[in-house]
Amino acid sequence: MIQKMSCPYIDEDKIVGNVEMELKKGGTFDKLRKQAIEHVKDSKLVHRIENEMLVKVDEIIASSANLTQEEIQRKMKDFMNENAKMRNDINRQIRVEFEKEWVHDELDKEIDEKVNKQLENSI
């Protein structure tokens, strides 16, 4: 005679919530963000923006002979705050980086491990 094994009810929503919490607590998202930013830092886009900033710094310094260091810093901050295109370009590049396969591979691996652990604990 074959006995049926009873399988306890698996609360998928609870598992999803627990896995998400473990990913956040474990710093998985922070780690992926840091790696993505490192990739973006090495991009042509960021090098172009850095060069534009250096040119602007030179312009501000050349035209600010009588300004204090704080005034020069304020001018630079104002320039960066007013330059929405620069921020948008960098944000777009980071979003593109998150769509790359390495992010999905890393996240899939972590999620699989954590889901398996949750399933083992619920049986």
Side-chain angles (χ1 to χ4, degrees):
M1 180 175 203
I2 299 176
Q3 274 187 305
K4 282 188 170 181
M5 292 182 63
S6 76
C7 182
Y9 172 74
I10 296 174
D11 186 346
E12 291 178 12
D13 291 335
K14 182 178 178 184
I15 289 175
V16 169
N18 287 344
V19 167
E20 184 178 353
M21 185 175 64
E22 284 184 34
L23 290 170
K24 287 178 181 178
K25 276 184 169 179
T28 300
F29 297 126
D30 291 335
K31 181 179 74 173
L32 291 173
R33 261 192 298 277
K34 285 178 184 177
Q35 289 174 337
I37 288 170
E38 287 303 316
H39 291 202
V40 170
K41 277 182 174 179
D42 293 334
S43 71
K44 290 179 183 178
L45 168 74
V46 171
H47 290 291
R48 178 185 55 81
I49 290 172
E50 286 175 342
N51 288 335
E52 289 175 17
M53 289 299 297
L54 289 173
V55 167
K56 187 64 178 179
V57 167
D58 288 343
E59 288 174 8
I60 289 174
I61 290 174
S63 68
S64 305
N66 297 328
L67 295 180
T68 66
Q69 181 178 351
E70 290 80 20
E71 291 170 324
I72 293 172
Q73 289 173 340
R74 185 181 41 75
K75 279 189 165 205
M76 284 305 303
K77 284 180 185 178
D78 290 345
F79 170 73
M80 290 187 320
N81 288 334
E82 292 170 4
N83 197 334
K85 182 183 179 319
M86 184 187 314
R87 286 191 312 276
N88 291 340
D89 287 347
I90 291 173
N91 288 336
R92 183 175 41 258
Q93 189 70 28
I94 290 172
R95 284 192 303 275
V96 166
E97 191 65 32
F98 280 128
E99 294 300 319
K100 291 187 177 175
E101 189 173 339
W102 72 267
V103 175
H104 295 276
D105 290 347
E106 183 74 23
L107 201 51
D108 288 347
K109 184 180 87 176
E110 292 246 5
I111 289 171
D112 285 345
E113 289 173 6
K114 293 185 183 330
V115 167
N116 287 333
K117 180 182 167 191
Q118 289 291 317
L119 290 172
E120 289 172 6
N121 291 341
S122 67
I123 294 179

